[in-house]
Amino acid sequence: MSYGRPRVLPVGHFQDVVRDESSLRRFLHALPGVDQVGLEQRAAGLATRSIKKASKMWAIDTAISMIDLTTLEGSDTPGKVRTLAAKARRPDPGYPDVPAVAAVCVYPDMVETAVTQLSGTGIGVASVATAFPSGRSIREVKLADTRFAVEQGASEVDMVIDRGAFLSGRYWQVFEEIQAVKQACGDAHLKVILETGELAGYDAVRRASWLALLAGGDFIKTSTGKVSPAATLPVTQLMLQAVRDWHAATGEHRGVKPAGGIRTTKDAIKYLVTVHEVAGPDWLTPKLFRFGASSLLNDLLMQRRTQLEGHYSGQDYVTVD
Amino acid sequence: MTFEYAPAPESRDIAALKPSYRMFLDGEFVEGTGEPLKTLNPATEEVLTEVSTASIADVDKAVKAAHRAYDRVWSRMPGSERAKYLFRIARMIQERSRELAVLETLDNGKPIKESRDVDVPLAAAHFFHHAGWADKLAYAGYGPDPRPLGVAAQVIPWNFPLLMAAWKIAPALACGNTVVLKPAETTPLTALVLAEICQQADLPPGVVNILPGAGEIGAELVAHPEVHKVAFTGSTEVGKQIQETVAGTAKKLTLELGGKAANIVFDDAALDQAVEGIVNGIFFNQGHVCCAGSRLLVQESIAEELLERLQARIGTLRVGDPMDKNTDVGAINSAAQLARIRELTEIGDAEGAVRWTSSCPLPDKGYFFAPTVFSEVQQAMRIAQEEIFGPVLSVLTFRTPEEAIKKANNTPYGLSAGVWSEKGSRILWATQQLRAGVVWANTFNRFDPVSPFGGYQESGFGREGGRAGLEAYLNV
């Protein structure tokens, strides 16, 4: 299966929607509403699935392969990024069959270090950009930020949308900005962070999801991890509905990345169940679903060992980064 | 490799299944003098256990025991004391919730996730709610000192065996009545465990009596001259017979019968959640729900899209072993019910409706029926008129809101209805027009002991639950 995507919108799909500001606004406001109670009830239902034995093992390995192993701290050092890269390549030295993670995710100035460590491994280097995490800067700065990350070798760019513009209804401005960043990305994949914790309610999340898809985002991502609440199961379900509906309308697969607050194997499995039952089995691949996480990996490794060894191991048996 | 969910079965041992069960009469478990019955696990067609049943003579004994308990103890006991027993029963249901859930699933065929998350917690909630009323009846709006009626004869169905027993027993006891209850022939087990709980809670002998048996025992019970109150949940056909029996007597009657609920989806509805609600409305408990949303009325302009989404969603429902924690739709309760569902769906084909069936795999043995949707259904078809009581949805379309209401109300039933719209004023307008005892807005099949439940017309009369439900068990 190919997940390649055209540079521009497929002819005939939504061309009328993105013609101008008012057509875009009309489209976003005409999307079906989201009923909070129903959405959350379904998420709670999916969370009760009982995943055991072989299916649990499969889920753990799949989740590991979907992680964007992330460090986004002011105190990041090249040493820390090198450690992270080593862990990304071989998450559990005791078990070489553990899959590598999908990517490491760092600030732009750390991209070069990460690229050096990971070249030839197939592991992506994702960089946040566009005045992450607040997005509060002028467009020139955001684009320069993006170009710098890509020049340093980032294969994926995680941008933030201008929440201020979105919430005040200036959808066209957000749309154009995503398009401009997309252009600045060149061949790098673009993940569009909606920062759902700052959007007012589920209807806005649905609008922002479609806005990002229309503007050419390869992935829609829940959160920066710097705002609470970060990723939740209902929000991720809603975004999965958006990519599912996008696929139904255009035939293209786009991805979803929940980020922030997913720390346990149990949580990760709930997300995989949601991907499976809401978007469908096609999305159960790192090409279309990622976890933005750091501590999640160690919990997955510990649970994996438990499955294989029949008893729990402790924090001291996984590497601390 | 794909994401296959490995089997996650709940352990059968938790049910503490005994080789035989006896009826509960005057505080003791005794051998009934009727023909013993064997109860089956509908998911495997295997015999679970043997249950002794009541004879006509046993019915008389039970009613007399209930009478004695009423006269000597229960009607004289202060409400605050009755409440203590009800609170105790509620807590014991919670303590034994896992056992009750597994037993219910074995005997009934419903998925463990429903018996665990819906039936048993709601049964406990009904006892808690009514325990709270027992000493506050003076504030229920039925006068300063409302009196109980006497002995209540209660006959319940097989679709929610424990929950229906709780719906019936809790308000009767809270109001000061005593009870003789007949569980359904195919699902007597959890009611008998509830009897055990009553015994362990030290409920005075005779206050609750539970007599398993077939339909004629129920008929005998409701006809007994020393019964003061009759409460029945089940088919409209049997409800009519009971009404004839009770006519001309002083017995107070409540009936909760069949339904053919309309679930109305307007074009401005939250589509994804409406799909969830439709699925929950008709496939919850295999559609063995008197208030199931079995008629989907969808506005023309979104009909095609909604149907596509609905079929995709139904395709993800997991049908099979009810004991598996990941099963969404379990077994049909009996061979007879399966035959009836098959018969009515064949009629649907013959009438020209378009059948779509989920391609989910079904187990080789046991009574199973794959989730089915009929589209292009017309009002005149039998599948739009008759209660199928299975996982079968009939889809009709409408153009104007008035047409939706007209079609929704065009049924001899009137138990429940659903309205889906993001527009508050439209919901309020529609709920005022709909002739149904329960109307859900942007949700379906939600139950709570606080909100009264009951129907119009051939769906019965009287309410269960909440303040309104107390009226059925008080002399007002």
Side-chain angles (χ1 to χ4, degrees), chain B residues 324-348:
Chain B
D324 193 306
K325 292 171 198 160
N326 292 325
T327 292
D328 298 315
V329 179
I332 303 300
N333 180 251
S334 64
Q337 187 57 30
L338 184 59
R340 169 154 174 87
I341 296 168
R342 288 202 174 125
E343 184 197 332
L344 273 164
T345 49
E346 278 157 23
I347 289 168

Side-chain angles (χ1 to χ4, degrees), chain B residues 401-418:
Chain B
E402 289 74 16
E403 186 189 348
I405 301 294
K406 216 166 154 182
K407 281 183 168 169
N409 284 340
N410 179 215
T411 167
Y413 295 113
L415 189 53
S416 69

Side-chain angles (χ1 to χ4, degrees), chain A residues 16-37:
Chain A
D16 53 334
V17 171
V18 297
R19 195 177 51 233
D20 58 33
E21 189 164 1
S22 67
S23 64
L24 179 65
R25 165 185 292 276
R26 275 199 305 277
F27 175 82
L28 295 178
H29 281 269
L31 288 167
V34 183
D35 184 76
Q36 181 182 345
V37 174

Side-chain angles (χ1 to χ4, degrees), chain B residues 360-385:
Chain B
C360 61
L362 295 184
D364 300 330
K365 54 179 182 172
Y367 312 132
F368 288 92
F369 195 87
T372 296
V373 178
F374 278 106
S375 53
E376 292 179 39
V377 175
Q378 308 303 329
Q379 279 294 101
M381 294 180 182
R382 280 181 66 187
I383 54 166
Q385 298 277 327

Side-chain angles (χ1 to χ4, degrees), chain A residues 84-284:
Chain A
L84 206 66
K87 180 140 184 164
R89 283 196 303 266
R90 179 171 285 196
D92 188 342
Y95 288 92
D97 59 328
V98 174
V101 303
V104 297
C105 182
V106 293
Y107 271 115
D109 61 336
M110 290 293 163
V111 168
E112 193 185 5
T113 311
V115 168
T116 312
Q117 297 295 315
L118 293 171
S119 68
T121 61
I123 299 170
V125 174
S127 172
V128 296
T130 68
F132 181 94
S134 67
R136 298 235 71 94
S137 190
I138 56 167
R139 188 167 298 172
E140 285 73 18
V141 171
K142 294 180 185 181
L143 293 177
D145 201 13
T146 307
R147 277 187 218 106
F148 173 71
V150 174
E151 279 161 19
Q152 295 291 300
S155 55
E156 305 174 6
V157 170
D158 290 26
M159 73 169 286
V160 290
I161 64 164
D162 185 338
R163 278 90 77 189
F166 178 85
L167 288 169
S168 58
R170 287 178 274 127
Y171 302 130
W172 191 250
Q173 182 185 333
V174 181
F175 177 78
E176 282 187 326
E177 189 160 292
I178 298 170
Q179 279 195 318
V181 173
K182 173 78 191 161
Q183 205 166 16
C185 280
D187 287 333
H189 268 226
L190 177 63
K191 306 192 197 102
V192 182
I193 303 172
L194 310 180
E195 195 65 299
T196 53
E198 287 185 353
L199 303 183
Y202 292 123
D203 287 322
V205 173
R206 174 166 281 175
R207 282 178 198 146
S209 298
W210 276 90
L211 179 59
L213 294 170
L214 286 165
D218 298 298
F219 263 72
I220 45 179
K221 175 174 167 185
T222 60
S223 324
T224 59
K226 305 289 182 193
V227 166
S228 181
T232 67
L233 212 48
V235 152
T236 307
Q237 181 195 342
L238 184 52
M239 290 163 65
L240 285 163
Q241 287 168 350
V243 295
R244 175 200 67 193
D245 291 347
W246 178 268
H247 174 257
T250 66
E252 278 178 14
H253 287 89
R254 302 280 183 93
V256 173
K257 176 179 171 187
I262 306 166
R263 295 192 180 88
T264 64
T265 302
K266 211 171 176 175
D267 282 342
I269 291 176
K270 288 175 188 174
Y271 280 88
L272 293 183
V273 164
T274 305
V275 174
H276 183 232
E277 298 198 30
V278 174
D282 281 3
W283 272 265
L284 282 170

Side-chain angles (χ1 to χ4, degrees), chain B residues 103-437:
Chain B
L103 188 62
E104 193 77 304
T105 287
L106 286 173
D107 202 18
N108 171 278
K110 66 175 65 202
I112 185 72
K113 76 168 189 186
E114 286 179 12
S115 49
R116 178 193 68 197
D117 296 344
V118 182
D119 293 57
V120 177
L122 266 178
H126 269 265
F127 276 98
F128 276 119
H129 175 81
H130 287 98
W133 271 120
D135 63 350
K136 301 172 194 72
L137 296 171
Y139 306 96
Y142 301 110
D145 186 21
R147 302 302 304 156
L149 295 163
V151 176
Q154 306 179 323
V155 178
I156 58 168
W158 46 261
N159 57 345
F160 294 95
L162 177 71
L163 182 58
M164 286 301 111
W167 276 34
K168 294 279 185 279
I169 295 174
L173 264 46
C175 293
N177 306 276
T178 57
V179 164
V180 181
L181 177 134
K182 189 195 88 68
E185 204 178 351
T186 59
T187 56
L189 299 184
T190 45
L192 291 169
V193 173
L194 182 61
E196 206 174 283
I197 288 173
C198 289
Q199 196 184 42
Q200 286 165 356
D202 271 334
L203 193 70
V207 173
V208 168
N209 303 274
I210 295 188
L211 306 184
E216 66 267 19
I217 294 302
E220 187 65 25
L221 176 60
V222 301
H224 196 287
E226 288 171 74
V227 157
H228 307 96
K229 155 79 192 174
V230 173
F232 172 74
T233 297
S235 71
T236 296
E237 190 190 341
V238 175
K240 285 178 179 172
Q241 289 167 14
I242 291 176
Q243 197 168 9
E244 275 176 40
T245 308
V246 170
T249 71
K251 290 172 192 173
K252 197 163 170 174
L253 177 66
T254 43
L255 297 173
E256 202 267 89
L257 309 174
K260 190 75 187 177
N263 207 354
I264 305 172
V265 182
F266 289 103
D267 61 3
D268 67 340
L271 269 194
D272 288 301
Q273 285 73 47
V275 167
E276 290 306 311
I278 295 161
V279 167
N280 180 36
I282 187 62
F283 300 115
F284 172 64
N285 203 29
Q286 297 75 245
H288 301 328
V289 185
C290 43
C291 54
S294 49
R295 280 188 299 153
L296 173 63
L297 287 170
V298 51
Q299 198 152 16
E300 264 179 355
S301 51
I302 56 162
E304 204 176 320
E305 187 186 354
L306 184 78
L307 204 60
E308 268 173 34
R309 284 168 186 258
L310 187 61
Q311 289 173 350
R313 173 69 178 93
I314 294 170
T316 69
L317 288 175
R318 304 170 67 87
V319 184
D321 180 8
M323 292 283 275
D324 193 306
K325 292 171 198 160
N326 292 325
T327 292
D328 298 315
V329 179
I332 303 300
N333 180 251
S334 64
Q337 187 57 30
L338 184 59
R340 169 154 174 87
I341 296 168
R342 288 202 174 125
E343 184 197 332
L344 273 164
T345 49
E346 278 157 23
I347 289 168
D349 294 331
E351 284 174 323
V354 179
R355 185 202 285 237
W356 175 89
T357 303
S358 171
S359 57
C360 61
L362 295 184
D364 300 330
K365 54 179 182 172
Y367 312 132
F368 288 92
F369 195 87
T372 296
V373 178
F374 278 106
S375 53
E376 292 179 39
V377 175
Q378 308 303 329
Q379 279 294 101
M381 294 180 182
R382 280 181 66 187
I383 54 166
Q385 298 277 327
E386 292 180 30
E387 186 177 34
I388 299 174
F389 222 62
V392 181
L393 178 69
S394 298
V395 183
L396 297 89
T397 58
F398 68 88
R399 183 163 292 186
T400 65
E402 289 74 16
E403 186 189 348
I405 301 294
K406 216 166 154 182
K407 281 183 168 169
N409 284 340
N410 179 215
T411 167
Y413 295 113
L415 189 53
S416 69
V419 182
W420 296 84
S421 169
E422 286 287 276
K423 198 173 203 173
S425 58
R426 181 172 291 153
I427 292 172
L428 292 173
W429 172 83
T431 49
Q432 281 173 348
Q433 316 292 314
L434 284 165
R435 207 171 49 223

